[in-house]
Amino acid sequence: MIDVVGFLISWLTLLGIYAILALTLNFESGTSGVTNFGKVFFYGLGAYVGATLTVYLFLLLNGVDVSKTPPYDVSGIVLLGELAGKNPALNLGLLALSLATAFLVAGVIGYLLSYPIIRVGPAFVGFTLLSTGELFRIFLQHYEPVGGSRGLMSIPGPFSWVPQPRLREVLFLALVLAVLAATYLVMDRLTNSPLGRTLRAVRDDEVAALCMGKHVPKLKATVLFIGSGFSGVAGVLLAYYLTSVNPDMFVPAVTFNVWAMIILGGMGNLRGALLGASIFTFIDRALSFVTPQLGVTVISPDYVRGFAVGLVMVLVLLYRPQGLLPEGRVETVAWEELGGGASG
Amino acid sequence: MVLVANILEVKGVSKRFGGVVALQDVSLSVPSQGIVGLIGPNGSGKTTLFNVVTGFYVPDKGEVWFNDGNRSERIDGLNPNEVFAKGIVRTFQIPRLFKSLTVLENLLVTPFAQKGENPLKALKPSSWIEEERALARKAVSLLRRFGLLEYANVRVSELSGAHIKLLETIRGLMTPAKLFLLDEPAAGVEAGAAHELFRLVRELRSEGYTFLIVEHRIEILMQYVDYVYVLHNGQLLAEGKPEEVTSNPKVVEAYIGGGSA
Amino acid sequence: MLPGYPYSILNFFQYTFFYILFSIPLTLSYRNTKVINFAHANFISYGIYTAVFLNGLLGNTSLALACLAAFAVGGSIALVNHLLVFRPLEKRGASMSLIMIASMGLWIMYNYALYMLADIAHYYTLKNFISYGRIVYADVPEVELLGLRLQQSFVAGGLAALVLVASLYLFLEKTTLGKAMRAVADNPVLAEISGIPRNTIVNLTWLIAGGAAAVGGAIWTSFSGTVTPTSADAMILQVFTVSFIGGLVSLLRTGLGAVAIAFIENVGIAALNTYFGVPISFRPFLTFVTLLTILIAFPPLGAAGGLPFRFRSRKVRAE
Amino acid sequence: GGAAGQAPGAAQQAPKKVYTIGFTLPLTGELSSIGKIWEKVVYLAIDDLNKEAQAYGFNVEFKAVILDDGTTPEKALQNVQTLAQQGIKVIIGPAASSQVKAVKGFVDSNQIVLISPSSTAPTLAIPGDFIFRTVGSDAGQARVLATLAYQEGARKVIVFHRNDEYGNAFADFFKKYFSELGGSSIDVPYQTGLSDYAAEVASLASKVQSEKVDAVVLISFDTDGGNILSHAAESPVLSSVRWFVSEGPHGAAELKAPAVGAFAAKTKLLGTRPLFIGNPLYEDFKKRLKEKYGVDASVFCDTLYDAVMLAGWAMLRAGSSDGNAIRSALIEVAKHYYGVSGWAIFDEAGDKAYQDYGVWAIVKTDGGYDFKDVGVYERGSIVFTAKPYP
Amino acid sequence: MVGVLRLVDVYSGYGKMEVLHGVSFELGKGEIAAVLGPNGAGKTTMLNTIFGLATLHRGEVSFNGVKLNGRKPSEIVKLGVSYAPQLDNVFPNLTVEENLVVGAFIRGKDPGIRSDIEDILDLFPEIKRRRNQKAKTLSGGERQMLAVARALMTRPSVLLLDEPTSGLSPKAGATLMNKIKEIQQTRGVAILLVEQNVARALEIADRAAVLVGGKIVREGSADEFKSIPIERLFFGK
Ligand SMILES: Nc1ncnc2c1ncn2[C@@H]1O[C@H](COP(=O)(O)OP(=O)(O)OP(=O)(O)O)[C@@H](O)[C@H]1O
Ligand SMILES: Nc1ncnc2c1ncn2[C@@H]1O[C@H](COP(=O)(O)OP(=O)(O)OP(=O)(O)O)[C@@H](O)[C@H]1O
Ligand SMILES: [Mg+2]
Ligand SMILES: [Mg+2]
């Protein structure tokens, strides 16, 4: 009776998007010690860049005058819906363009934002970024060209030319998983390299690292560039997935969910980030199948689910206080030298 | 002092913290390939001087010049990482190891401008793997020399006090800098290891490196240095060859004290 | 004359009181335990709902009683969190960020528990507790001052903030236990070695932090037009902002932060609106801009760390 | 746990066919106070639906699966997916337009019929999709509110409104219609989701003073609206101008407080709301909701109730679990359905075609203050059925 | 001689890891005993075990016949044992004076605290000048002095000192040693001293033990050790 395939597709898609965020946050905060409480900012930035680019170019390239038919008005929305499936090349081209632009825009802004946070400690870095995210959200609400408080909707997805919904969902899932795999590969290479080691050193003691010749500000900027770039990409995927963006989607709670994921899984451990994201999204979903069947009447059954999510989080932490997968050592060839040395 | 170039020259440096005068008009110079000692009572400003030289503090007055072979540069007021890049490495009196890294990793972090620290190259392991191997070999041999090899894969938060101190110094020695500033490398370290450390310093000197060393265990230090400066209350009290200094009554009075060795 | 006078000015004081009541406990708990406690919002919301349930179920109209009960409830929640979650985690070697996430878990649990409680209360009384109007208390006077009517919440909030600040000042500065509190925060292991009963102090810290914030919550019910289970969540960012201005460690700076943010949010936005036409929907925007400005212009030291890095390092001079 | 608790009485004959309707409601978050009332409405409606179906001889049972979406778009999508994966083809909710937008793609491509009882954003008036709304769009109500304000003598007003899709769109329409009538208005948006609006109200007061307006037009939801009115009641300046209010605060319990009641009387506060006035079904519905669950019918309770009824009858009529069939059946059923919110006919965009609007006030009763419908909008003007304020 | 502090067959370490493998040791009333040994031998761990900061796997630690096993550090201090650790031994954000005030915490409102602070600061003139300076800004040696000073504030009957002279100038180190001796003689405090500077330690100690690899390899009177090249013992066997 339960559509297991549908469940898996919808779960994995959202999981994939969150896992990208978790991997980047893990890289920034777990490995490098840039406590990024503003994850949602870069995520939202990517989503808006992708969405704006797609809807405007879609209309412009189809010869629509956006000053008369802006994409956030009903007429524009209806037009977008009609044009969405007409030209596969356009959809795919815009996907590529959106991904690249979102990566760059979010990355560069992350890079620039590292400037004001250089001289403050971790908690303040976090709050500075969080505040920036809130500023961004309020700005979006007032900024008409991206729809203001209406947001944008009817964003033509990359596969909206595929007629069968199931196939379309599978294709999108494949896209998400491919991006996830690429993110994982990059993060894995970076963390298990001299750079990863240096970043961990910066995390442990910025001052000592600086005195050991590490250009800490530049390193942080680089980390924020990479992390934010990938978060921006995740944002684009979200925009296509929901086919709409709205300022209210990008509230600090999103950031904290991602934090919960990486800490649950184990800070500084890439696979931990994936595991944390999986567990976190799974519990919430699985419970929403169960709780309505509980037969609770006095209180809303769904409250039981919300409560249980919090409880599971606390229990898992109590049971595994290092997170599920603790941080390992930086895996480079250096250890091979030790093998020879230790035996000798 | 005309023929031997001075790698480091401190000229009339002063530094105060609120009411505390930590350094007052201190001038000293370190000859290239020298092993120079810097001693003085507690709180006399030795560490502060290191901090000024390495860019940790900006001096209130005075200048610090660094002479790299043929070029002489003024380095006070630079950022610590820029000073490091010029070839000056310091160690901390109160160790500041990277606590969540293992012993081996702590050593591997130090070397400057590793290929694999560049994000783009980091993505391509083949570009840095050779360098990494070479560094690891160097680190392993250093660890072996000081009997720390068995701890190579241990996080430094699990080391004993003196091993932490020792590692702090060895970490500094991992990178081929021109001038090393060591802040009490032998504090708490057992005599055998301490001597080993100074022997290594001598070897490195013969390879062309220069050392400025703060140390209170003068019975060890004096066997290895060729020149000594004495600070007292932030001012230079005496300088000279080890024997001269240890027999200088002012130094005995202020620093070495009466009966003890 | 300032725009919005006199309401904006009154609100400025009113909010200062509230921010003191909400943020100083937060700063205190972080300073002494190094736990960034996301569940801090719960202390406030349970304080609010202690007063609401007392009023809605028992018809209580005494703010003093509500405050006492709120202190007990908030304090117990904080203690229970600490004893059942934070301390076991710490004993098992969990990092601070992990404990922070545990506090997020607790936050979620308590939020839903509050909704459940409201449901149960509804079941018995058929009253709506999810959205509850302002409570008028019988035991707090409204004061006339220079022709201005100071609401109950103004009187009670001012009094409570004063009591909190004065008693914390006396406690921290004048008693050894207060000094010991700072020592625990500074170096917990050494504190124990020195014979300071770290557990007692940490317990006490949580009791005060939870209790005082909850008292603030109880007084909030006599101020805000409507309270909901998410009232506290909606303001927690502001509360954190105030604490962050205090560097999370300095109570004095937190107090100044309370004044600054309350000023900006009330008088500041009104002035900008009047003279520059800035829409008042920019109020939260302004709060965060203030925070960013303060963080960048005067980076708080202490917990803030600080890198000896100068953007304009002197140019190298060569010969 | 099984679903046994749902069905009281013993099963006698052939097993009943079970129809499940999914709900995604704001049981937590900003709209939770309405969400909780809606939950009760759902119970009542499902109950009624079962009784009616039985009376007509159908051997079926309707069941509700209610999920909480916390008023967030992402959660709403997740709920809709979860419900769809249980084979549910008809979903009622979510409350906010931003949420409806986020689920639109999924319901359209999976052919799931979605009925929102409260989304009023004009941008969702899209023909041919699977989204239905049992309430008229904001444009209609804005016209009524403008008419009301103008007819009551206001010429210069401040439009104090939520800075979100609902508030901004509503305010835009209001300003348009109000200026067509000959009035002028000043736009004052306020940020949503705050815990309290005292600062906003203070700013509003100074604006009212400096601009010398006749009235404030408040466009809000219930919690923020209640909050704002409670604070406004404290201010002599704001008590000296007229107040005209959208449907949001209607039913908010905190507005029955004596201070607010007195304020309403002093400012002759009037509100508009989508309502088919003089509808005996509605009066009955209101009474039964109060009796059975102890809650007052607040805003959109009637549209939600009708949404459930329409969904149930459409499912019975379609007889299959094919989304397209249910969709067509729904359109058909609505053509002949007269419910607590009046005639339910949908226009080509799937929105309520004929929405009537009423005027409400807060009046003094024996027990204190209560909401009362005091007028209707008829052919371009407001006709009062009662005199709310002396 | 009665042992005030006794370790009987102690196995201890950190978590599951074992560092001490069967250490038995007795500190007599009013005596100074030196614990010597190479780096990483377990000297600090031995002190930590006494103070309940390491995990005791097996064996017994007692003070004046009171079992210390499983007690919290704060209880142990109240019994009259005080400890100046090797690392992290000051409160960095408290001033020198506050460090001392807090160090005397267990004495409550004892009016003698004020005068004790003055007395102890007189012992260490270097830090007396810095009494209102935060501990984190002290020089390495000043910090070390503060650590010892703080430990003295509880008026202990047993004092555990972990490398108190490391980082002190020769003069200051010698002075400190003399003061330790003086404290022992005037106040009858028993002192367990871990020290790298063997000669200096043996000068004031009554008894000594050598700890290697988590085991005591030799124990005896200080004079006995003076005659043997003790550092060979470190690597002996
Ligand atoms: N940030 C600071 N603020 C105030 N005083 C300081 C600060 N840093 C150092 N001092 C003071 O400056 C003096 C010099 O300190 P410094 O660390 O240079 O001494 P040192 O010679 O290295 O001593 P030691 O041998 O004990 O390490 C000390 O008395 C110290 O208290
Ligand atoms: N917190 C810890 N966790 C795990 N292992 C530890 C910890 N602290 C110390 N060790 C290990 O226990 C052993 C003994 O350490 P200890 O600190 O007791 O040595 P020590 O004799 O005091 O040496 P030193 O002269 O260097 O101070 C060392 O091998 C060290 O690596
Ligand atoms: Mg020093
Ligand atoms: Mg030790």
Side-chain angles (χ1 to χ4, degrees), chain C residues 14-30 37-49 67 70 153 157 160-162 164-165 168 206 208-224 227 231-244 248 251 254-255 257-258 261-262 265, chain D residues 195-196:
Chain C
Q14 180 76 66
Y15 267 91
T16 305
F17 301 151
F18 279 122
Y19 283 146
I20 285 176
L21 287 171
F22 296 148
S23 297
I24 290 213
L26 179 67
T27 303
L28 190 73
S29 69
Y30 175 80
N37 183 26
F38 276 91
H40 190 76
N42 295 137
F43 302 155
I44 304 173
S45 55
Y46 276 69
I48 292 177
Y49 269 82
C67 285
S153 56
L162 189 73
L164 178 70
V165 169
L168 273 183
W206 282 117
I208 297 174
V215 168
I219 297 172
W220 182 260
T221 58
S222 67
F223 167 69
S224 182
V227 296
S231 284
D233 290 352
M235 66 179 131
I236 198 66
L237 278 184
Q238 268 83 348
V239 172
F240 265 91
T241 299
V242 170
S243 274
F244 267 91
L248 272 178
L251 296 178
T254 305
I261 294 295
E265 287 198 323
Chain D
S195 55
D196 193 79

Side-chain angles (χ1 to χ4, degrees), chain C residues 151-169:
Chain C
Q151 294 177 28
Q152 292 190 325
S153 56
F154 196 97
V155 178
L159 200 68
L162 189 73
V163 168
L164 178 70
V165 169
S167 55
L168 273 183
Y169 172 78

Side-chain angles (χ1 to χ4, degrees), chain A residues 141 149 241 285 300 302-303, chain D residues 36 39 68 81 168 191:
Chain A
Q141 276 173 338
S149 52
Y241 184 53
R285 282 210 165 209
S300 299
D302 230 30
Y303 292 163
Chain D
K36 290 309 293 184
E39 196 186 16
D68 165 32
Q81 289 174 344
N168 290 339
Q191 193 63 19

Side-chain angles (χ1 to χ4, degrees), chain D residues 12-250:
Chain D
Q12 323 88 339
Q13 331 108 6
K16 286 183 174 171
K17 183 157 187 212
V18 175
Y19 284 108
T20 314
I21 304 176
F23 293 85
T24 167
L25 302 181
L27 299 183
T28 59
E30 214 197 339
L31 284 176
S32 56
S33 63
I34 322 185
K36 290 309 293 184
I37 298 174
W38 286 3
E39 196 186 16
K40 308 291 188 291
V41 174
V42 170
Y43 292 149
L44 184 72
I46 292 283
D47 234 29
D48 290 356
L49 192 57
N50 277 324
K51 278 190 203 131
E52 272 183 38
Q54 209 144 29
Y56 280 92
F58 290 97
N59 187 26
V60 297
E61 187 196 339
F62 285 96
K63 261 182 58 187
V65 173
I66 304 177
L67 296 178
D68 165 32
D69 59 36
T71 333
T72 70
E74 204 185 290
K75 208 65 197 289
L77 175 62
Q78 206 171 310
N79 285 349
V80 167
Q81 289 174 344
T82 304
L83 294 168
Q85 284 144 18
Q86 300 178 25
I88 294 173
K89 285 286 171 187
V90 179
I91 294 171
I92 294 175
S97 296
S98 61
Q99 296 178 290
V100 177
K101 288 177 183 177
V103 303
K104 180 173 162 22
F106 184 86
V107 297
D108 281 348
S109 62
N110 288 279
Q111 308 199 328
I112 289 161
V113 176
L114 187 112
I115 312 173
S116 173
S118 58
S119 154
T120 50
T123 46
L124 273 167
I126 297 163
D129 60 5
F130 276 77
I131 292 179
F132 292 86
R133 299 188 288 182
T134 50
V135 62
S137 101
D138 294 327
Q141 198 193 158
R143 183 192 294 276
V144 179
L145 192 57
T147 311
L148 173 66
Y150 195 83
Q151 190 175 324
E152 287 288 298
R155 291 297 175 269
K156 187 178 180 194
V157 299
I158 284 180
V159 184
F160 191 53
H161 63 93
R162 289 173 66 86
N163 181 34
D164 65 358
E165 171 157 31
Y166 163 76
N168 290 339
F170 199 128
D172 284 345
F173 283 118
F174 177 89
K175 281 180 285 185
K176 178 163 157 261
Y177 296 130
F178 196 58
S179 73
E180 280 171 16
L181 290 170
S184 70
S185 44
I186 299 160
D187 194 36
V188 179
Y190 64 87
Q191 193 63 19
T192 61
L194 304 179
S195 55
D196 193 79
Y197 297 87
E200 280 71 14
V201 172
S203 290
L204 176 70
S206 73
K207 199 94 184 167
V208 164
Q209 211 162 23
S210 64
E211 299 285 348
K212 306 207 169 26
V213 295
D214 328 314
V216 175
V217 173
L218 173 66
I219 297 162
S220 71
F221 284 175
D222 68 336
T223 306
D224 51 341
N227 194 306
I228 287 166
L229 289 173
S230 311
H231 282 300
E234 302 277 325
S235 152
V237 174
L238 294 178
S239 304
S240 66
V241 290
R242 291 290 303 268
W243 281 72
F244 302 100
V245 190
S246 74
E247 86 281 10
H250 179 264

Side-chain angles (χ1 to χ4, degrees), chain B residues 17 42-48 93 216, chain E residues 130 133 137 139-142:
Chain B
F17 302 102
N42 297 116
S44 56
K46 306 179 294 292
T47 303
T48 307
Q93 180 175 7
H216 286 304
Chain E
R130 314 247 167 264
Q133 197 169 312
T137 66
S139 84
E142 291 163 349

